Amino acid sequence: MSITGIVSEFNPFHNGHKYLIDAVRADGGTVVCVMSGNFTQRAEPAVFSKEIRVKAALENGADIILELPFVYATATAEIFAQNAVKALCEFGCDTIAFGAECDDTALLIKAAEILASDSFEVKLKNCLSEGVSYPAARQKAFESYNIPVDLSSPNNILAVEYIKAVKKYYPDTKLKAVKRVGAMHDSTFTSESIASASLIRNLIAEGGEYSNFVPENAFSLYENCRNENQITDIEKYSTALLAILRSRAENINIAYITEELNSRLDNAIKTATTLDELYSLAKTKRYTHSRVRRAVLCRAFDITESDIKISLPYIRVLGFNESSASVLGKCSKVCSLPVVSTYSELKSLGNQNADRVFSLECKASDIFTLCNKSAEKCGSEQEYMLVKIK
């Protein structure tokens, strides 16, 4: 029986995500999702805890949810994709599916081959030497190959990175692109039932109407959370991170930070009173908003260059539905990486890299729970309970 893997954030789970899972499930088999934990690739906290997002996904077609650890979930597209693909393929997935603006899998494979080529690296360096940002240089270098794939689209970028990782490390794994429907990433456009996750997050935070854009059972989960103040307060997070940054001693080995960017951050931290202000002060044509956000997060949590180079040391199961229990058991036995679901199982590994990755997870989640509208105590990672859905 086929096991299809999907890389996800589900921040929050919405109708577009359900469309992707339903499209994959139409082929039969088991659907395994690897999901970012309490922080996402935007280098920001998720709107709801991972437990809530796991429940929403399991109740809407996902069979097993694995976790993409914090250090990779907040990384660049390449590191994010490599470790997400590793989690899925080592777990036993024979197919990787993904949503993208371009659903021509062969075309995306060609784009991935170009981006992995030596000739592209030369063109990219030449474009970067012109002083433009990395995304702009990548797009300019890629356009010279006349391949009709838009690399300014975040989902196409990630799709290509998934393919690069699969082709390099798991060449026998099948690939399946699914056409994204409705709103683009970060778009304010809505159709009758589809809106971007960013717009839905804004509506949730502002008390707006969003029920048409999420499955009914997910809407009930989210509304319960909102009524009980179990939702991220971005202003509290902003204050907490600024407090950490103002008191943090300089570490020259922090990931994604050059000497120039470090100096800019030093000056910005002294005057900024919100994270948005800090990002704006540090941003330049060379250092994009996403690069600055990632650098700020790494500086706050002491994520070093060595940390982001650690290859995924374990696979953590966050939840599953009972009908997939046998698949979970089989995959756990044949997986080349240790499969864990509890804190005690993880600690018993006695692996230095696993301990480091999990320690960063704990540090991040302790800040995440503090910045909940209804703040919680430390230790949520150590106490996390596996979610089971009948």
Side-chain angles (χ1 to χ4, degrees), residues 185-210:
H185 181 85
D186 281 348
S187 171
T188 57
F189 166 81
T190 65
S191 67
E192 184 177 341
S193 62
I194 301 291
S196 69
S198 61
L199 177 58
I200 296 171
R201 289 194 297 271
N202 289 338
L203 291 171
I204 290 172
E206 296 167 3
E209 175 55 49
Y210 65 97

Side-chain angles (χ1 to χ4, degrees), residues 224-382:
N224 285 338
C225 288
R226 192 160 66 166
N227 292 336
E228 295 176 10
N229 283 327
Q230 294 178 347
I231 179 172
T232 299
D233 186 327
I234 293 298
E235 290 185 5
K236 288 176 69 174
Y237 173 70
S238 178
T239 301
L241 218 66
L242 282 174
I244 293 171
L245 290 166
R246 288 185 179 190
S247 61
R248 177 74 72 216
E250 182 176 337
N251 183 342
I252 61 172
N253 297 314
I254 293 297
Y256 311 117
I257 297 184
T258 63
E259 184 175 345
E260 178 188 359
L261 180 53
N262 195 55
S263 178
R264 293 189 65 83
L265 288 176
D266 281 341
N267 292 329
I269 288 167
K270 294 173 184 175
T271 58
T273 57
T274 68
L275 280 181
D276 283 341
E277 185 181 0
L278 172 58
Y279 299 150
S280 295
L281 288 170
K283 179 183 177 298
T284 65
K285 181 183 292 187
R286 180 182 180 187
Y287 300 115
T288 62
H289 204 284
S290 59
R291 169 74 178 272
V292 171
R293 283 200 310 266
R294 193 163 289 118
V296 166
L297 185 84
C298 289
R299 181 159 167 166
F301 289 104
D302 278 332
I303 299 174
T304 67
E305 288 286 348
S306 297
D307 291 330
I308 65 174
K309 291 176 182 177
I310 295 174
S311 184
L312 183 74
Y314 58 82
I315 293 176
R316 186 185 186 189
V317 182
L318 295 180
F320 67 100
N321 62 48
E322 291 187 355
S323 64
S324 64
S326 61
V327 175
L328 175 58
K330 290 177 183 178
C331 289
S332 298
K333 288 179 181 178
V334 301
C335 186
S336 62
L337 292 174
V339 178
V340 300
S341 60
T342 66
Y343 173 60
S344 60
E345 289 174 341
L346 200 149
K347 292 303 292 182
S348 69
L349 298 178
N351 181 294
Q352 185 175 356
N353 284 339
D355 289 343
R356 175 58 180 168
V357 169
F358 189 69
S359 70
L360 289 169
E361 196 79 48
C362 294
K363 184 185 294 186
S365 288
D366 285 343
I367 294 298
F368 177 85
T369 54
L370 178 66
C371 298
N372 196 290
K373 284 186 179 293
S374 178
E376 301 172 20
K377 63 183 179 65
C378 290
S380 64
E381 288 301 332
Q382 294 89 334

Side-chain angles (χ1 to χ4, degrees), residues 7 41 68 71-86 112 115-116 121 124 134 138 154 157-166 168-169 256 294 308:
V7 183
Q41 212 221 346
L68 184 62
V71 69
Y72 314 118
T74 56
T76 60
E78 183 177 25
I79 295 172
F80 175 94
Q82 283 182 359
N83 287 280
V85 165
K86 181 175 182 178
L115 265 64
E121 282 298 313
L124 177 62
Y134 181 85
R138 178 185 56 205
I157 291 171
L158 285 172
V160 168
E161 291 298 339
Y162 301 148
I163 294 169
K164 283 171 59 180
V166 166
K168 183 174 182 178
Y169 301 107
Y256 311 117
R294 193 163 289 118
I308 65 174

Side-chain angles (χ1 to χ4, degrees), residues 5-6 20 96-100 102 105 108 159 162-163 175-179:
I6 295 173
L20 172 60
I96 301 297
F98 43 84
C102 173
T105 305
L108 289 170
Y162 301 148
I163 294 169
L175 296 158
K176 179 181 176 64
V178 176
K179 180 74 172 179

Side-chain angles (χ1 to χ4, degrees), residues 35-110:
M35 188 190 85
S36 303
N38 288 327
F39 281 76
T40 68
Q41 212 221 346
R42 288 177 60 87
E44 294 176 347
V47 63
F48 297 120
S49 72
K50 57 187 167 191
E51 180 180 10
I52 295 302
R53 288 156 43 235
V54 166
K55 287 179 180 177
L58 291 175
E59 290 180 356
N60 286 282
D63 293 306
I64 299 169
I65 308 290
L66 312 176
E67 180 171 49
L68 184 62
F70 168 70
V71 69
Y72 314 118
T74 56
T76 60
E78 183 177 25
I79 295 172
F80 175 94
Q82 283 182 359
N83 287 280
V85 165
K86 181 175 182 178
L88 293 170
C89 291
E90 294 293 341
F91 187 71
C93 295
D94 53 63
T95 303
I96 301 297
F98 43 84
E101 280 70 31
C102 173
D103 62 342
D104 186 329
T105 305
L107 200 60
L108 289 170
I109 290 173
K110 180 63 177 176

